[in-house]
Amino acid sequence: MPTSFYPYALMLSTEILVTVQIYNRNHHVGIYNNRLIVVLYYEDTEIGRTFLPSFYQEPQELTVLQSTISVYGYPIKQSVAASLSAAETRSAIPLHSLIATRVKYKIGSWKPAWHRWFYSNCDIVVGTSNSPSGAHILFRNC
């Protein structure tokens, strides 16, 4: 079949190191974070996701978590591949991240039975590994 009839003719393979910093700014409330999910998008196309471990966070505590999104042979549209290639040539790839976590509060010894989902949406621009300063975040808006 000609590739013009099949929009997913190209494959994406990449590894992306994801670092998430979560700060509990409450003074008296601890937070149980469960099911932490990070999803990365390029032009509304999901390019990968990772799941981070559950953890408890004391009041006013900073937690840093890392994981790798490994994508091998992920089919993408030709238009997305062309745009991604052009962004890589410019050494600046715009991405969108969605971070979702299910949280439960702890106030003193009281732990309610209910959970809430919290979401964070971030627009980021990542410099490629072949850019003069190496792969790193050039811009972030969360």
Side-chain angles (χ1 to χ4, degrees):
M1 179 183 296
T3 57
S4 60
F5 294 111
Y6 187 64
Y8 298 98
L10 300 170
M11 301 292 184
L12 174 68
S13 294
T14 189
E15 284 194 358
I16 302 169
L17 175 64
V18 176
T19 303
V20 177
Q21 294 183 11
I22 302 171
Y23 178 65
N24 178 2
R25 62 180 63 187
N26 292 294
H27 291 276
H28 304 288
V29 179
I31 300 174
Y32 292 94
N33 290 278
N34 294 317
R35 300 183 189 170
L36 193 68
I37 304 165
V38 179
V39 185
L40 287 179
Y41 296 90
Y42 178 78
E43 291 187 353
D44 297 327
T45 300
E46 181 181 325
I47 60 170
R49 66 177 51 206
T50 188
F51 299 88
L52 298 167
S54 300
F55 63 95
Y56 173 73
Q57 199 170 31
E58 294 285 344
Q60 296 189 321
E61 182 177 72
L62 175 68
T63 304
V64 179
L65 303 169
Q66 287 189 328
S67 183
T68 301
I69 294 177
S70 299
V71 179
Y72 299 104
Y74 187 78
I76 59 173
K77 293 181 180 179
Q78 291 176 349
S79 60
V80 173
S83 176
L84 185 57
S85 179
E88 187 175 15
T89 301
R90 293 188 306 270
S91 297
I93 300 174
L95 298 173
H96 179 79
S97 70
L98 168 66
I99 301 171
T101 185
R102 190 172 173 201
V103 300
K104 184 176 182 179
Y105 298 99
K106 178 182 176 191
I107 304 169
S109 61
W110 179 66
K111 291 183 273 185
W114 46 265
H115 290 80
R116 294 273 189 237
W117 279 96
F118 282 91
Y119 302 92
S120 174
N121 287 287
C122 298
D123 292 315
I124 51 180
V125 177
V126 179
T128 61
S129 58
N130 57 356
S131 68
S133 55
H136 65 286
I137 295 177
L138 300 171
F139 172 80
R140 177 187 55 169
N141 182 22
C142 296

